[in-house]
Amino acid sequence: MNGLVLVDKPPGPSSFDVVKRLRARYGVKAGHAGTLDPLASGLLLCLLGPSTRLARYLVGLDKRYLTEIRLGLVTTTGDGEGEIIEETEVASRNAIEALEGEIELTVPQASAVKIAGERAYRLHRRGVAVEMPTRTSTIHSVEVRRYEPPLVELELHVSSGTYVRAIATVLGGHCRTIRRTAVGPFRVEDADEDRVLPPLAALVSLPERELSEEEAQLVRHGRPIPGSAEGPVALHLDGQLVAVARSEGDELKPETVFPAA
């Protein structure tokens, strides 16, 4: 079993819980490309077998979310599980819609980011105080789907690594719900744990190149072939992924090679 599984994670289980379930179900190594913490629901990209090596090409994809935010109350975690630390003025619709572009956001305490090797949300649940890092994120778009103060529902298109709770905090509120609806070209509507997509389908966001039999043999032995590309490129033969390569001069050098099926 080798490929990509699109999972619609419910609130409650961790991303590791989902991976563990898939590992037991399919009997192979499993992993994910982009954590969803327990409170959040939605699309989780899970990889099986040799395809776990493809995670590096998926983690940087843009994300889309739906979130309901309670304006006017900031919490320690950016969600309803935290303690209220500040009351603020309710942000206007115009102020919310203006929150686009590059922005510095503090990583929430309830996130799945690792601090000293442990998930931040686990440290918070034990009452361990830590200084959370900041990250530069890009908010590509903010659509106000419902504005009924103090509640607002937003549809967000953001860069990889953006924390929705941090956006809620910037708006002077906290998240009531968080749902990831898309990762790059993948949509939560297509989630199906019974279906394993082929490895090449996991790399649909990358440029592709069809190989000849001779080129495929060279690539499988780690040999470069003539060509160039911007960033990684998926090399395949008859629809089967052979390798992911990068340009070095006027050659494509394999960096992740898959054995022949």
Side-chain angles (χ1 to χ4, degrees), residues 119-146:
R119 300 293 182 189
Y121 66 82
R122 290 176 180 162
L123 293 171
H124 174 74
R125 286 174 179 174
R126 296 206 310 270
V128 179
V130 295
E131 183 175 349
M132 300 303 295
T134 60
R135 289 182 178 175
T136 301
S137 300
T138 302
I139 303 176
H140 298 295
S141 65
V142 179
E143 179 183 342
V144 179
R145 297 186 53 159
R146 177 169 54 89

Side-chain angles (χ1 to χ4, degrees), residues 17 37 42 52 54 154 157 166 252:
D17 291 333
D37 56 66
T52 54
L54 299 177
L154 305 181
H157 177 202
L252 290 174

Side-chain angles (χ1 to χ4, degrees), residues 42-123:
L43 186 60
L44 188 66
L45 304 185
C46 295
L47 298 160
L48 303 179
S51 288
T52 54
R53 299 162 62 202
L54 299 177
R56 62 193 290 194
Y57 307 110
L58 299 175
V59 293
L61 296 175
D62 286 354
K63 312 292 192 302
R64 292 180 184 270
Y65 295 91
L66 286 177
T67 181
E68 184 183 62
I69 296 173
R70 201 295 189 188
L71 300 170
L73 296 176
V74 178
T75 68
T76 54
T77 58
D79 58 41
E81 295 183 348
E83 298 177 0
I84 296 173
I85 56 175
E86 183 182 2
E87 292 190 25
T88 67
E89 292 187 12
V90 172
S92 69
R93 188 183 187 115
N94 288 339
I96 294 170
E97 291 175 337
L99 194 67
E100 295 185 358
E102 196 169 276
I103 185 172
E104 287 286 329
L105 296 172
T106 301
V107 177
Q109 294 181 30
S111 70
V113 71
K114 286 189 175 181
I115 304 293
E118 189 168 358
R119 300 293 182 189
Y121 66 82
R122 290 176 180 162
L123 293 171

Side-chain angles (χ1 to χ4, degrees), residues 222-245:
R223 302 284 297 280
I225 58 173
S228 62
E230 290 290 332
V233 55
L235 307 179
H236 58 93
L237 175 65
D238 298 329
Q240 300 296 315
L241 181 65
V242 176
V244 181

